[in-house]
Amino acid sequence: MAPTVVIVPGLRDHIPEHWQTQLATRLAQAGRSVRVTPPVAQDRLSRDAQVANLATTLASVAGPVVLVAHSAGVMTTVHWAQRHHAEVRGALLATPPDFETPLPEGYPTPGALAEHGWTPVPRRPLPFPSVVAASANDPLAAAERVAELARDWGSHLVSLGPVGHLNPASGHGDWSLAEDLLRELESGRTTPRSSAGTALPMPATGRHA
């Protein structure tokens, strides 16, 4: 039986044009079991509230799951993995933000993120296979910082090219590559590559300050 796909959005509300929403619809229409983690009703910026929300969603699923996270949902997934366990076959982690570097104006400040438990960002290897999909021009994270996270989490790194934050605000809706990456995760055939399928070198060791 194919694992249930659990969608882990960021801190946004439900957006019909977002690729996660469209992916969930397509998979459900194809007969896949799909769950979408609902928005947190209160204390949305709280890491603990977001992690508990994901834990509740996963507890409602019988059998294995594959996670599809975007933006802050990636950080929720990584924090969840430090303290919880489920039968996770793999995780697709798309455009994680860099919460340890000041974000653009209008986003939470480093102080607010620390106060709400998001930093320091966990750096231990994830206990399940994972793919980090990185943008070359994400306003919320420099490509080299995302490569650092992928290396520390033990994830395969996929370069998407200049896709912004891979959201409607960046001019991106549907993202068909997500289904290809899901199939690779479920089959255990994940390999570092670009969005065109070209093999990529894994990030070099060593940290940036």
Side-chain angles (χ1 to χ4, degrees), residues 19-196:
W19 65 265
Q20 284 183 305
T21 307
Q22 297 181 12
L23 175 66
T25 299
R26 280 200 309 275
L27 291 174
Q29 289 173 344
R32 290 293 300 267
S33 175
V34 181
R35 299 287 179 88
V36 178
T37 307
V40 171
Q42 296 180 331
D43 299 324
R44 185 171 296 188
L45 192 56
S46 166
R47 178 207 64 187
D48 289 343
Q50 295 288 345
V51 169
N53 193 37
L54 175 56
T56 298
T57 300
L58 290 172
S60 70
V61 178
V65 301
V66 61
L67 305 172
V68 179
H70 174 253
S71 190
V74 174
M75 295 306 172
T76 297
T77 299
V78 172
H79 279 284
W80 170 86
Q82 305 301 308
R83 62 180 78 178
H84 297 281
H85 175 75
E87 191 179 350
V88 179
R89 292 275 179 85
L92 173 56
L93 310 174
T95 56
D98 181 6
F99 278 173
E100 295 175 333
T101 299
L103 299 174
E105 186 176 355
Y107 289 90
T109 64
L113 290 168
E115 179 183 350
H116 287 85
W118 293 102
T119 57
V121 172
R123 296 293 187 122
R124 290 199 296 264
L126 294 171
F128 40 76
S130 58
V131 169
V132 168
S135 169
N137 63 341
D138 191 340
L140 303 189
E144 60 269 21
R145 294 284 289 180
V146 175
E148 243 184 62
L149 293 173
R151 184 189 62 242
D152 291 346
W153 296 336
S155 305
H156 291 301
L157 182 67
V158 171
S159 174
L160 304 179
V163 297
H165 196 51
L166 195 63
N167 59 0
S170 299
H172 295 275
D174 192 21
W175 182 39
S176 59
L177 181 62
E179 292 175 79
D180 295 336
L181 295 174
L182 272 178
R183 282 191 290 270
E184 291 187 1
L185 276 168
E186 292 171 357
S187 67
R189 296 196 310 269
T190 51
T191 55
R193 62 174 190 167
S194 74
S195 59

